[in-house]
Amino acid sequence: MKTQSSRQIFDRRQRGFSLIELMVAVTLGFIVVGAVGYLFLGSRQSFRTTDNLSRMQENARFALESITRDVRMAGYVGCGSLQSMAVNTIANPPVPALSADNAIAGLDTPGAAITNFMGTTITRPAGDAVTITGAFGGGVNLTGNLDPSNADVQIAGNPYGFKANDILIVSSCTNADIFSATTVSASGGIVTVAHANSTNTGNRVGTYGPNDVVLKMEQYTYFIGMNPADKRALYRTSLTEGTIELVEDVWDMQIEYGVDTSVTADGAADEYQTATAVAAGTNWPRVVSARISLLMIGPDNVLSTAQTYNFNGALVTPAATAPDRLRMHQIFTTTVGLRNRLP
């Protein structure tokens, strides 16, 4: 009896799961794994979407900040304005002669190439381009060599890092001279900025005093180009910096210009026009603001179907073969006034 009882206990301990129990357990396991996988994929997709939105917003914020900062300063020449001052350019080409006609100017034609200041032709895949000319940064007061016949000017220090080959403006409230710096040297706290005939022609026209200033001049052109990774990006080309990429994944840029068409020229934008319309009316001197719209795309393919969006007055659905078909699109728009033309 003792042996039989032990065998029965042993037999009961050896009993396993039945086939039905095993199948139920496996099915439940699959359900749990599927639910966890579904949650993981959903969380991952949500993270990618949020990350793409954040990157688009960050890129757009930087791009708009760069453009609006420069557009706002278009035509700046110191305490006066282009309409009230005599502006003389003695710097050799390709330095432009600054005037109300080129303080701001634009180009509409999509895909039309532009040429930078080094003579390099740059292809634009899409979007508008805008060129801004004026003085940028702070001014440094003059201390000596103020007459037009001098081949240099002296300033009190060099806090803005003026150097050889910079394009500078010496400016009062009535006159301004634009020249190319050939050498910049310091002695005894006084900085001498020479503008020899090797990079300049003619003499300055203005006689300046210690309350007048020297500022750095630039001409910036913003446009959409293709970067080495074959992505559209916002580029800027300038007189002294060459051409640099600012922000990638800027798919398109459209700019309209606020034109003061009133007879009294009150400094208020009466209507917004494209660059082509402004040029046709020779109205660049009457542009007082700019409305800039950027179409940003996400860096990754996160959509299952193409996103339809409205941009530049048209409803757009990316084509089946378009590289942006499965990317998110977002539009950012801002309006900026030209400080030097506002009342």
mmCIF file of all heavy atoms in Angstrom, residues 72 74-75 81-83 99-104 260 265-268 283-289 337-343:
data_model
loop_
_atom_site.group_PDB
_atom_site.id
_atom_site.type_symbol
_atom_site.label_atom_id
_atom_site.label_comp_id
_atom_site.label_asym_id
_atom_site.label_seq_id
_atom_site.Cartn_x
_atom_site.Cartn_y
_atom_site.Cartn_z
ATOM 1 N N ARG A 72 14.645 94.202 -41.856
ATOM 2 C CA ARG A 72 14.334 95.358 -41.009
ATOM 3 C C ARG A 72 15.383 96.466 -41.166
ATOM 4 O O ARG A 72 15.074 97.644 -41.068
ATOM 5 C CB ARG A 72 14.241 94.909 -39.554
ATOM 6 C CG ARG A 72 13.699 95.960 -38.605
ATOM 7 C CD ARG A 72 13.576 95.402 -37.203
ATOM 8 N NE ARG A 72 12.537 94.385 -37.125
ATOM 9 C CZ ARG A 72 12.751 93.110 -36.833
ATOM 10 N NH1 ARG A 72 13.971 92.688 -36.562
ATOM 11 N NH2 ARG A 72 11.747 92.257 -36.785
ATOM 12 N N ALA A 74 17.214 97.137 -43.899
ATOM 13 C CA ALA A 74 17.455 97.510 -45.297
ATOM 14 C C ALA A 74 17.555 99.026 -45.446
ATOM 15 O O ALA A 74 16.709 99.776 -44.968
ATOM 16 C CB ALA A 74 16.331 96.973 -46.178
ATOM 17 N N GLY A 75 18.618 99.465 -46.115
ATOM 18 C CA GLY A 75 18.799 100.886 -46.379
ATOM 19 C C GLY A 75 19.341 101.690 -45.222
ATOM 20 O O GLY A 75 19.435 102.916 -45.319
ATOM 21 N N SER A 81 18.720 109.019 -43.689
ATOM 22 C CA SER A 81 18.082 108.012 -44.535
ATOM 23 C C SER A 81 18.546 108.210 -45.966
ATOM 24 O O SER A 81 19.097 109.254 -46.331
ATOM 25 C CB SER A 81 16.558 108.123 -44.467
ATOM 26 O OG SER A 81 16.118 109.342 -45.060
ATOM 27 N N LEU A 82 18.314 107.204 -46.787
ATOM 28 C CA LEU A 82 18.726 107.297 -48.190
ATOM 29 C C LEU A 82 17.993 108.413 -48.920
ATOM 30 O O LEU A 82 18.484 108.948 -49.926
ATOM 31 C CB LEU A 82 18.480 105.963 -48.893
ATOM 32 C CG LEU A 82 19.384 104.802 -48.463
ATOM 33 C CD1 LEU A 82 18.937 103.514 -49.138
ATOM 34 C CD2 LEU A 82 20.837 105.104 -48.791
ATOM 35 N N GLN A 83 16.809 108.753 -48.428
ATOM 36 C CA GLN A 83 16.037 109.811 -49.078
ATOM 37 C C GLN A 83 16.572 111.200 -48.738
ATOM 38 O O GLN A 83 16.343 112.154 -49.481
ATOM 39 C CB GLN A 83 14.559 109.713 -48.677
ATOM 40 C CG GLN A 83 13.822 108.516 -49.243
ATOM 41 C CD GLN A 83 14.118 107.227 -48.489
ATOM 42 O OE1 GLN A 83 14.746 107.236 -47.442
ATOM 43 N NE2 GLN A 83 13.663 106.107 -49.039
ATOM 44 N N SER A 99 21.533 102.670 -52.879
ATOM 45 C CA SER A 99 20.503 103.666 -53.181
ATOM 46 C C SER A 99 19.156 103.129 -52.743
ATOM 47 O O SER A 99 19.028 101.967 -52.343
ATOM 48 C CB SER A 99 20.476 103.977 -54.691
ATOM 49 O OG SER A 99 19.985 102.858 -55.413
ATOM 50 N N ALA A 100 18.139 103.983 -52.838
ATOM 51 C CA ALA A 100 16.782 103.542 -52.474
ATOM 52 C C ALA A 100 16.277 102.462 -53.421
ATOM 53 O O ALA A 100 15.378 101.691 -53.074
ATOM 54 C CB ALA A 100 15.834 104.741 -52.497
ATOM 55 N N ASP A 101 16.868 102.356 -54.616
ATOM 56 C CA ASP A 101 16.432 101.354 -55.591
ATOM 57 C C ASP A 101 16.907 99.950 -55.233
ATOM 58 O O ASP A 101 16.268 98.968 -55.631
ATOM 59 C CB ASP A 101 16.944 101.711 -56.991
ATOM 60 C CG ASP A 101 16.271 102.962 -57.540
ATOM 61 O OD1 ASP A 101 15.054 103.098 -57.355
ATOM 62 O OD2 ASP A 101 16.965 103.806 -58.132
ATOM 63 N N ASN A 102 18.029 99.835 -54.529
ATOM 64 C CA ASN A 102 18.541 98.490 -54.246
ATOM 65 C C ASN A 102 18.670 98.191 -52.754
ATOM 66 O O ASN A 102 19.261 97.189 -52.369
ATOM 67 C CB ASN A 102 19.891 98.267 -54.939
ATOM 68 C CG ASN A 102 20.996 99.133 -54.349
ATOM 69 O OD1 ASN A 102 20.779 99.951 -53.457
ATOM 70 N ND2 ASN A 102 22.208 98.953 -54.859
ATOM 71 N N ALA A 103 18.130 99.059 -51.899
ATOM 72 C CA ALA A 103 18.151 98.764 -50.468
ATOM 73 C C ALA A 103 17.415 97.458 -50.199
ATOM 74 O O ALA A 103 17.812 96.667 -49.337
ATOM 75 C CB ALA A 103 17.515 99.907 -49.676
ATOM 76 N N ILE A 104 16.349 97.215 -50.938
ATOM 77 C CA ILE A 104 15.675 95.923 -50.929
ATOM 78 C C ILE A 104 15.167 95.657 -52.334
ATOM 79 O O ILE A 104 14.687 96.567 -53.021
ATOM 80 C CB ILE A 104 14.517 95.865 -49.901
ATOM 81 C CG1 ILE A 104 13.958 94.446 -49.793
ATOM 82 C CG2 ILE A 104 13.412 96.861 -50.248
ATOM 83 C CD1 ILE A 104 13.014 94.242 -48.623
ATOM 84 N N ASP A 260 3.907 101.489 -50.496
ATOM 85 C CA ASP A 260 3.197 102.734 -50.194
ATOM 86 C C ASP A 260 2.835 103.391 -51.518
ATOM 87 O O ASP A 260 3.671 104.025 -52.160
ATOM 88 C CB ASP A 260 4.098 103.642 -49.356
ATOM 89 C CG ASP A 260 3.447 104.984 -49.042
ATOM 90 O OD1 ASP A 260 2.257 105.154 -49.360
ATOM 91 O OD2 ASP A 260 4.137 105.865 -48.481
ATOM 92 N N ALA A 265 2.799 109.625 -49.865
ATOM 93 C CA ALA A 265 3.876 108.761 -49.360
ATOM 94 C C ALA A 265 3.945 108.835 -47.834
ATOM 95 O O ALA A 265 4.910 109.323 -47.245
ATOM 96 C CB ALA A 265 5.214 109.164 -49.981
ATOM 97 N N ASP A 266 2.894 108.284 -47.188
ATOM 98 C CA ASP A 266 2.795 108.377 -45.733
ATOM 99 C C ASP A 266 3.543 107.273 -44.986
ATOM 100 O O ASP A 266 3.499 107.190 -43.766
ATOM 101 C CB ASP A 266 1.328 108.380 -45.304
ATOM 102 C CG ASP A 266 0.572 107.154 -45.818
ATOM 103 O OD1 ASP A 266 1.213 106.247 -46.415
ATOM 104 O OD2 ASP A 266 -0.648 107.087 -45.631
ATOM 105 N N GLY A 267 4.232 106.377 -45.723
ATOM 106 C CA GLY A 267 5.009 105.330 -45.078
ATOM 107 C C GLY A 267 4.220 104.111 -44.674
ATOM 108 O O GLY A 267 4.757 103.222 -44.005
ATOM 109 N N ALA A 268 2.955 104.019 -45.068
ATOM 110 C CA ALA A 268 2.116 102.865 -44.752
ATOM 111 C C ALA A 268 1.925 102.006 -45.993
ATOM 112 O O ALA A 268 1.815 102.526 -47.114
ATOM 113 C CB ALA A 268 0.757 103.315 -44.220
ATOM 114 N N ASN A 283 8.861 100.408 -58.231
ATOM 115 C CA ASN A 283 8.413 100.878 -56.918
ATOM 116 C C ASN A 283 9.282 100.407 -55.758
ATOM 117 O O ASN A 283 8.857 100.488 -54.602
ATOM 118 C CB ASN A 283 6.960 100.417 -56.661
ATOM 119 C CG ASN A 283 5.942 101.325 -57.337
ATOM 120 O OD1 ASN A 283 6.175 102.518 -57.513
ATOM 121 N ND2 ASN A 283 4.825 100.747 -57.720
ATOM 122 N N TRP A 284 10.494 99.904 -56.012
ATOM 123 C CA TRP A 284 11.331 99.445 -54.908
ATOM 124 C C TRP A 284 11.601 100.537 -53.880
ATOM 125 O O TRP A 284 11.624 100.248 -52.672
ATOM 126 C CB TRP A 284 12.642 98.866 -55.439
ATOM 127 C CG TRP A 284 12.451 97.543 -56.127
ATOM 128 C CD1 TRP A 284 12.662 97.259 -57.443
ATOM 129 C CD2 TRP A 284 11.990 96.325 -55.534
ATOM 130 N NE1 TRP A 284 12.348 95.954 -57.717
ATOM 131 C CE2 TRP A 284 11.946 95.354 -56.556
ATOM 132 C CE3 TRP A 284 11.598 95.961 -54.248
ATOM 133 C CZ2 TRP A 284 11.535 94.043 -56.323
ATOM 134 C CZ3 TRP A 284 11.190 94.652 -54.002
ATOM 135 C CH2 TRP A 284 11.161 93.714 -55.036
ATOM 136 N N PRO A 285 11.785 101.803 -54.265
ATOM 137 C CA PRO A 285 11.979 102.836 -53.239
ATOM 138 C C PRO A 285 10.754 103.055 -52.350
ATOM 139 O O PRO A 285 10.869 103.672 -51.289
ATOM 140 C CB PRO A 285 12.282 104.098 -54.057
ATOM 141 C CG PRO A 285 12.818 103.594 -55.356
ATOM 142 C CD PRO A 285 12.033 102.344 -55.615
ATOM 143 N N ARG A 286 9.573 102.545 -52.761
ATOM 144 C CA ARG A 286 8.352 102.757 -51.990
ATOM 145 C C ARG A 286 7.924 101.522 -51.204
ATOM 146 O O ARG A 286 6.849 101.503 -50.616
ATOM 147 C CB ARG A 286 7.229 103.209 -52.927
ATOM 148 C CG ARG A 286 7.589 104.439 -53.757
ATOM 149 C CD ARG A 286 6.387 105.132 -54.326
ATOM 150 N NE ARG A 286 5.674 105.880 -53.303
ATOM 151 C CZ ARG A 286 4.681 106.734 -53.562
ATOM 152 N NH1 ARG A 286 4.298 106.931 -54.810
ATOM 153 N NH2 ARG A 286 4.067 107.369 -52.598
ATOM 154 N N VAL A 287 8.776 100.501 -51.190
ATOM 155 C CA VAL A 287 8.494 99.315 -50.371
ATOM 156 C C VAL A 287 8.773 99.655 -48.909
ATOM 157 O O VAL A 287 9.856 100.121 -48.559
ATOM 158 C CB VAL A 287 9.358 98.126 -50.816
ATOM 159 C CG1 VAL A 287 9.255 96.979 -49.814
ATOM 160 C CG2 VAL A 287 8.933 97.663 -52.203
ATOM 161 N N VAL A 288 7.791 99.433 -48.044
ATOM 162 C CA VAL A 288 7.940 99.772 -46.625
ATOM 163 C C VAL A 288 7.851 98.552 -45.710
ATOM 164 O O VAL A 288 8.108 98.654 -44.511
ATOM 165 C CB VAL A 288 6.882 100.814 -46.201
ATOM 166 C CG1 VAL A 288 7.105 102.129 -46.939
ATOM 167 C CG2 VAL A 288 5.465 100.287 -46.422
ATOM 168 N N SER A 289 7.503 97.391 -46.269
ATOM 169 C CA SER A 289 7.413 96.182 -45.451
ATOM 170 C C SER A 289 7.518 94.967 -46.361
ATOM 171 O O SER A 289 7.446 95.068 -47.592
ATOM 172 C CB SER A 289 6.110 96.143 -44.645
ATOM 173 O OG SER A 289 4.984 96.129 -45.505
ATOM 174 N N GLY A 337 8.507 95.364 -40.984
ATOM 175 C CA GLY A 337 8.617 96.698 -41.563
ATOM 176 C C GLY A 337 10.063 97.100 -41.768
ATOM 177 O O GLY A 337 10.952 96.690 -41.009
ATOM 178 N N LEU A 338 10.307 97.908 -42.775
ATOM 179 C CA LEU A 338 11.632 98.469 -43.022
ATOM 180 C C LEU A 338 11.772 99.716 -42.160
ATOM 181 O O LEU A 338 11.152 100.751 -42.437
ATOM 182 C CB LEU A 338 11.827 98.819 -44.487
ATOM 183 C CG LEU A 338 12.209 97.670 -45.433
ATOM 184 C CD1 LEU A 338 11.151 96.577 -45.498
ATOM 185 C CD2 LEU A 338 12.511 98.200 -46.832
ATOM 186 N N ARG A 339 12.564 99.634 -41.088
ATOM 187 C CA ARG A 339 12.656 100.717 -40.122
ATOM 188 C C ARG A 339 13.008 102.051 -40.766
ATOM 189 O O ARG A 339 12.525 103.112 -40.335
ATOM 190 C CB ARG A 339 13.713 100.383 -39.072
ATOM 191 C CG ARG A 339 13.285 99.358 -38.049
ATOM 192 C CD ARG A 339 14.394 99.104 -37.061
ATOM 193 N NE ARG A 339 13.992 98.176 -36.017
ATOM 194 C CZ ARG A 339 14.828 97.685 -35.116
ATOM 195 N NH1 ARG A 339 16.105 98.030 -35.138
ATOM 196 N NH2 ARG A 339 14.398 96.851 -34.191
ATOM 197 N N ASN A 340 13.842 102.020 -41.767
ATOM 198 C CA ASN A 340 14.355 103.266 -42.325
ATOM 199 C C ASN A 340 13.408 103.906 -43.337
ATOM 200 O O ASN A 340 13.745 104.938 -43.931
ATOM 201 C CB ASN A 340 15.713 102.991 -42.978
ATOM 202 C CG ASN A 340 16.692 102.385 -41.990
ATOM 203 O OD1 ASN A 340 17.178 103.051 -41.116
ATOM 204 N ND2 ASN A 340 16.939 101.090 -42.120
ATOM 205 N N ARG A 341 12.222 103.299 -43.498
ATOM 206 C CA ARG A 341 11.218 103.905 -44.367
ATOM 207 C C ARG A 341 9.889 104.122 -43.664
ATOM 208 O O ARG A 341 8.943 104.619 -44.277
ATOM 209 C CB ARG A 341 11.001 103.011 -45.602
ATOM 210 C CG ARG A 341 12.234 102.944 -46.497
ATOM 211 C CD ARG A 341 11.975 102.171 -47.748
ATOM 212 N NE ARG A 341 13.178 102.130 -48.578
ATOM 213 C CZ ARG A 341 13.290 101.432 -49.716
ATOM 214 N NH1 ARG A 341 12.240 100.740 -50.147
ATOM 215 N NH2 ARG A 341 14.397 101.453 -50.398
ATOM 216 N N LEU A 342 9.831 103.744 -42.402
ATOM 217 C CA LEU A 342 8.599 103.942 -41.671
ATOM 218 C C LEU A 342 8.557 105.350 -41.103
ATOM 219 O O LEU A 342 9.601 105.970 -40.841
ATOM 220 C CB LEU A 342 8.484 102.913 -40.543
ATOM 221 C CG LEU A 342 8.381 101.451 -40.994
ATOM 222 C CD1 LEU A 342 8.340 100.526 -39.786
ATOM 223 C CD2 LEU A 342 7.177 101.236 -41.881
ATOM 224 N N PRO A 343 7.359 105.894 -40.853
ATOM 225 C CA PRO A 343 7.246 107.262 -40.326
ATOM 226 C C PRO A 343 7.912 107.371 -38.961
ATOM 227 O O PRO A 343 7.945 106.428 -38.190
ATOM 228 C CB PRO A 343 5.732 107.483 -40.221
ATOM 229 C CG PRO A 343 5.106 106.458 -41.101
ATOM 230 C CD PRO A 343 6.042 105.291 -41.133
#
